[in-house]
Amino acid sequence: MKIVAGLGCIDDYIRLVQAGADEVFCGFVPYEWNKTYGNLFPLNRREVLYYNVQINSYEDMKILKKMEEKCKVPVTITLNYLYYIEEQYELIADIMKKLIDIGFTEFIIADLSLIVYLKEKGLKCSIQLSGECSEINRLAVKFLNQFDLKRYIFHRKNTIEDMKAIINDNRDSNIEYEAFILNERCHYTGAFCSSLHCDELHHLCKVPYELCKIDVKCSNFPLVDKRMEEYYSFSVDEEDYSSDFNDDNYILGSTGCGICSLMKLKKAGVTHLKVVGRGNFIDIMEKDIKNLKKSLDILDSAHNEESFLIETKQSILEGKCSKSCYYK
């Protein structure tokens, strides 16, 4: 399984590669898009302008391409907003053409209408279906196969059994499959999230709340299910890293971790593992990738799942295990 890491700034590319990333993905929002649509219509679900979440100039993309050619670690561009209005398709196609001219031919897309539009335009590129599209079962993927997609990126709520059923149904194809492995185990499903990830407002997914029946006040009514309470409970103070990060307060995949399920994911047929990181501290991303790489090395030599878990918990997790498990 290959490691796919999120990039928020071209300066971090080398460090991600040296840490062990096999692929890198990044967002790109050029000036002409921001000038016309601002951050209310983001290209890639990141309505952020003031910190390193995406790249904003073609010149930076040219530099990144030179780095890619030197390091031989491919870069994929995300265009994974849920939908675009009709007038935007032509501009998006023009942006993609310019990126293709620079040398980037891999794109992550969530909007099926945009995929159809690009096919009709005859744009020569490879498309990975974003997890924001929320394909959920083998029947959905059977329908989506008509679009000649290179990879399916499973969304956060796919179970390993879902993934296995989908992959088994497509054994005769060369399709790749990517699953979340570290960070941002958001309790929303991307396709049904209407929150903004902007500078002015705190992310909705990080606002603490209680789950209850809508006809009863939450303060006087217990949570519906203990399992749901464990899954949805969220504390901003516990989950957010402060700027004084150091080795003592580092926890592998502190906001979402699937390390313990690596063997199950491998047996299911998952080919790529996503380390979410756009906007994350590069020091944390670097350590996450290195530790994931070590875990994969342990996986290769492990005789069974039990031996893998024992060695991983001893040598990688060291007792600092994230409570935000992706796959239980």
Side-chain angles (χ1 to χ4, degrees), residues 53-69:
V53 171
Q54 54 214 359
I55 302 168
N56 297 107
S57 77
Y58 290 105
E59 292 305 312
D60 277 352
M61 294 304 292
K62 291 177 182 177
I63 294 171
L64 182 59
K65 184 59 185 177
K66 292 294 184 182
M67 292 180 180
E68 180 191 86
E69 292 171 353

Side-chain angles (χ1 to χ4, degrees), residues 141 145 148-150 152 164-177 268-269:
V141 170
N145 281 342
D148 191 27
L149 302 168
K150 178 181 179 181
Y152 288 107
K164 185 177 180 180
I166 290 170
I167 295 169
N168 285 339
D169 214 43
N170 290 275
R171 284 293 182 186
D172 296 331
S173 68
N174 294 319
I175 298 173
E176 300 169 345
Y177 301 92

Side-chain angles (χ1 to χ4, degrees), residues 44-193:
N44 58 77
R45 300 219 76 182
R46 292 293 184 273
E47 304 88 346
V48 177
L49 296 176
Y50 299 115
Y51 63 92
N52 293 330
V53 171
Q54 54 214 359
I55 302 168
N56 297 107
S57 77
Y58 290 105
E59 292 305 312
D60 277 352
M61 294 304 292
K62 291 177 182 177
I63 294 171
L64 182 59
K65 184 59 185 177
K66 292 294 184 182
M67 292 180 180
E68 180 191 86
E69 292 171 353
K70 181 72 174 180
C71 298
K72 309 300 182 184
V73 172
V75 176
T76 305
I77 314 300
T78 61
L79 298 165
N80 58 355
Y81 196 52
L82 300 181
Y83 65 90
Y84 303 97
I85 57 179
E86 186 176 354
E87 69 180 54
Q88 293 174 327
Y89 287 162
E90 186 174 352
L91 176 55
I92 292 172
D94 183 61
I95 292 171
M96 291 178 66
K97 286 176 184 175
K98 292 178 180 177
L99 291 172
I100 291 171
D101 288 342
I102 293 172
F104 297 102
T105 58
E106 301 274 345
F107 296 89
I108 299 171
I109 297 176
D111 180 8
L112 293 183
S113 296
L114 176 60
I115 294 175
V116 172
Y117 178 83
L118 296 173
K119 294 290 184 182
E120 291 175 350
K121 282 283 188 179
L123 212 64
K124 302 297 182 183
C125 64
S126 296
I127 296 175
Q128 302 175 18
L129 188 70
S130 170
E132 300 297 275
C133 189
S134 195
E135 75 292 346
I136 57 174
N137 56 41
R138 60 186 182 83
L139 295 178
V141 170
K142 186 176 181 180
F143 166 77
L144 293 165
N145 281 342
Q146 66 182 291
F147 299 114
D148 191 27
L149 302 168
K150 178 181 179 181
R151 181 184 305 172
Y152 288 107
I153 302 174
F154 293 116
H155 66 83
R156 292 173 173 86
K157 301 302 184 292
N158 276 113
T159 66
I160 296 177
E161 287 302 312
D162 289 335
M163 299 178 196
K164 185 177 180 180
I166 290 170
I167 295 169
N168 285 339
D169 214 43
N170 290 275
R171 284 293 182 186
D172 296 331
S173 68
N174 294 319
I175 298 173
E176 300 169 345
Y177 301 92
E178 183 176 318
F180 284 82
I181 195 68
L182 290 176
N183 304 330
E184 304 309 323
R185 193 208 66 165
C186 181
H187 43 238
Y188 293 114
T189 298
F192 308 111
C193 173

Side-chain angles (χ1 to χ4, degrees), residues 25-42:
F25 66 92
C26 69
F28 176 69
V29 184
Y31 170 74
E32 59 262 37
W33 183 274
N34 279 327
K35 179 182 178 182
T36 306
Y37 300 108
N39 59 358
L40 293 179
F41 255 114

Side-chain angles (χ1 to χ4, degrees), residues 4-21:
V4 184
L7 173 73
C9 171
I10 64 170
D11 295 340
D12 296 338
Y13 175 80
I14 300 297
R15 291 182 65 177
L16 294 179
V17 171
Q18 291 176 342

Side-chain angles (χ1 to χ4, degrees), residues 45 132 134 155-158 180 183-195 197 202-211 227-236 239-240 255-256 323-326:
R45 300 219 76 182
E132 300 297 275
S134 195
H155 66 83
R156 292 173 173 86
K157 301 302 184 292
N158 276 113
F180 284 82
N183 304 330
E184 304 309 323
R185 193 208 66 165
C186 181
H187 43 238
Y188 293 114
T189 298
F192 308 111
C193 173
S194 56
S195 172
H197 304 84
H202 197 59
H203 297 183
L204 183 60
C205 50
K206 294 191 176 182
V207 176
Y209 64 89
E210 291 180 278
L211 184 68
R227 290 171 299 175
M228 294 179 74
E229 178 183 8
E230 294 174 355
Y231 191 90
Y232 286 101
S233 61
F234 196 94
S235 169
V236 176
E239 298 290 350
D240 279 354
T255 57
K323 295 179 181 179
S324 300
C325 295
Y326 261 112

